Amino acid sequence: QSALTQPASVSGSPGQSITISCTGTSSDVGGYNYVSWYQQHPGKAPKLMIYDVSNRPSGVSNRFSGSKSGNTASLTISGLQAEDEADYYCSSYTSSSTPYVVFGGGTKLTVL
Amino acid sequence: EVQLVQSGAEVKKPGESLRISCKGSGYSFTSYWISWVRQMPGKGLEWMGRIDPSDSYTNYSPSFQGHVTISADKSISTAYLQWSSLKASDTAMYYCARSSSTGSGWFDPWGQGTLVTVSS
């Protein structure tokens, strides 16, 4: 069982917006502004999309945004495109000794 | 360009040893940590452990402590993940990733992955 809880799947039509949630505890998501989000296409390595809750690395589309409320972080993708179809993972720093980073179980995004 | 390049796929038998590598380029190798992440077939990401290449300090997830060893050679900007006795359950894709030395936990970039297959 993963330390952070994500929905197994979400879907949306092109042009729509979707939100993926990531729920943890006060020892990880709720306690620190160190939540990251990764996109992984089949057969490819993960790619950093959001770091420190809401920051986008250079080169990542501004259609991707992150937020946090309490022990739940969220990734929102607006203006869905076919290329957004992928698995998405959240991660968070944790103060629960080691590991120092915990991942969510992943969410499969399907663009209908 | 910042990048991490991993060694190629491996096929091993149970009980054999193995070391895979991850070479960094395009940045100061000793200014960031390197983490290793496992992804079993069809499953999610699991953080295994990390190393600070500047002094080779390591820490491991309890799930992997004692089963793998992480090391680094800063003179050639390379980190390693090794097993002394592989099991069939070690079959997985293994990624290395650069992470902030401040410990905030982001990973960027990732290596392309090394597929390890353990089968008799």
Side-chain angles (χ1 to χ4, degrees):
Chain A
Q1 186 172 1
S2 300
L4 305 180
T5 301
Q6 299 179 232
S9 63
V10 298
S11 62
S13 300
Q16 289 185 332
S17 294
I18 63 93
T19 297
I20 300 172
S21 62
C22 171
T23 301
T25 70
S26 58
S27 294
D28 39 66
V29 174
Y32 306 91
N33 289 325
Y34 290 150
V35 176
S36 302
W37 289 90
Y38 302 88
Q39 176 191 64
Q40 186 179 35
H41 287 111
K44 300 294 186 181
K47 175 187 176 183
L48 179 67
M49 305 302 285
I50 296 287
Y51 69 97
D52 295 351
V53 176
S54 60
N55 294 305
R56 275 189 312 276
S58 174
V60 172
S61 171
N62 59 10
R63 297 186 298 105
F64 292 83
S65 62
S67 62
K68 190 186 82 167
S69 177
N71 295 336
T72 298
S74 298
L75 173 71
T76 298
I77 309 174
S78 60
L80 267 181
Q81 299 178 0
E83 68 206 48
D84 299 331
E85 184 163 297
D87 293 325
Y88 291 85
Y89 294 90
C90 64
S91 74
S92 174
Y93 173 87
T94 175
S95 60
S96 301
S97 59
T98 53
Y100 90 104
V101 165
V102 290
F103 285 100
T107 299
K108 169 65 177 177
L109 168 61
T110 300
V111 180
L112 302 171
Chain B
E1 177 191 8
V2 176
Q3 62 177 351
L4 298 174
V5 177
Q6 298 184 226
S7 50
E10 301 274 2
V11 179
K12 292 289 188 178
K13 290 180 167 50
E16 292 185 330
S17 62
L18 174 65
R19 188 177 77 167
I20 62 176
S21 66
C22 168
K23 182 174 177 61
S25 63
Y27 73 101
S28 173
F29 189 69
T30 55
S31 297
Y32 296 84
W33 298 344
I34 294 287
S35 283
W36 287 93
V37 176
R38 182 176 79 173
Q39 187 168 37
M40 299 181 78
K43 301 299 183 181
L45 305 173
E46 302 172 89
W47 182 76
M48 302 174 69
R50 60 96 175 175
I51 187 165
D52 180 346
S54 68
D55 61 7
S56 290
Y57 173 80
T58 55
N59 71 286
Y60 298 87
S61 163
S63 298
F64 295 93
Q65 179 85 46
H67 296 293
V68 297
T69 301
I70 296 171
S71 60
D73 184 341
K74 61 184 178 182
S75 70
I76 54 172
S77 301
T78 301
Y80 302 97
L81 177 66
Q82 67 182 63
W83 296 260
S84 59
S85 181
L86 286 161
K87 305 174 183 179
S89 57
D90 292 317
T91 294
M93 182 71 81
Y94 293 88
Y95 295 101
C96 64
R98 186 184 72 159
S99 59
S100 169
S101 59
T102 63
S104 65
W106 52 257
F107 300 125
D108 180 56
W110 295 58
Q112 82 277 21
T114 296
L115 180 62
V116 174
T117 303
V118 183
S119 175
S120 55

